[in-house]
Amino acid sequence: MAKVHWNAKVSADEPGSPAVPGAQHDVDFMVKDSKRFADSGGWGYAVFEIDPATNTFRPGNLNDKPPQGSDARCGVACHSAVKTKDYVFTDYGHR
């Protein structure tokens, strides 16, 4: 899975001033492989932060918010809160 995070901004040009994507914050990846990542619920995690000045990505590190370790198990600490949902933060809207 891949997730692109944007910093929200208000669009004054649209009726109702809705929140829209602003500057890109980072890109997250989750890879399901129960053999390779057996000690982290079967998931491997990675995050890449964008540098707005150069428009390039770099691996997340411990100085980021939230801090990111340098191994694929780093995300399991945060994602353990949703262990009953296979470690995935997902809520579906009413259909």
Side-chain angles (χ1 to χ4, degrees), residues 3-18:
K3 184 176 184 179
V4 178
H5 289 154
W6 302 87
N7 295 316
K9 68 177 186 176
V10 174
S11 176
D13 298 334
E14 304 293 330
S17 301

Side-chain angles (χ1 to χ4, degrees), residues 84-95:
T84 60
K85 295 181 179 183
D86 196 24
Y87 298 89
V88 179
F89 290 100
T90 303
D91 283 331
Y92 294 102
H94 178 71
R95 296 179 203 183

Side-chain angles (χ1 to χ4, degrees), residues 30 40-41 43 45 73-91:
M30 290 176 64
S40 59
W43 288 100
Y45 302 88
R73 295 182 308 272
C74 180
V76 76
C78 187
H79 285 256
S80 290
V82 287
K83 184 177 181 177
T84 60
K85 295 181 179 183
D86 196 24
Y87 298 89
V88 179
F89 290 100
T90 303
D91 283 331

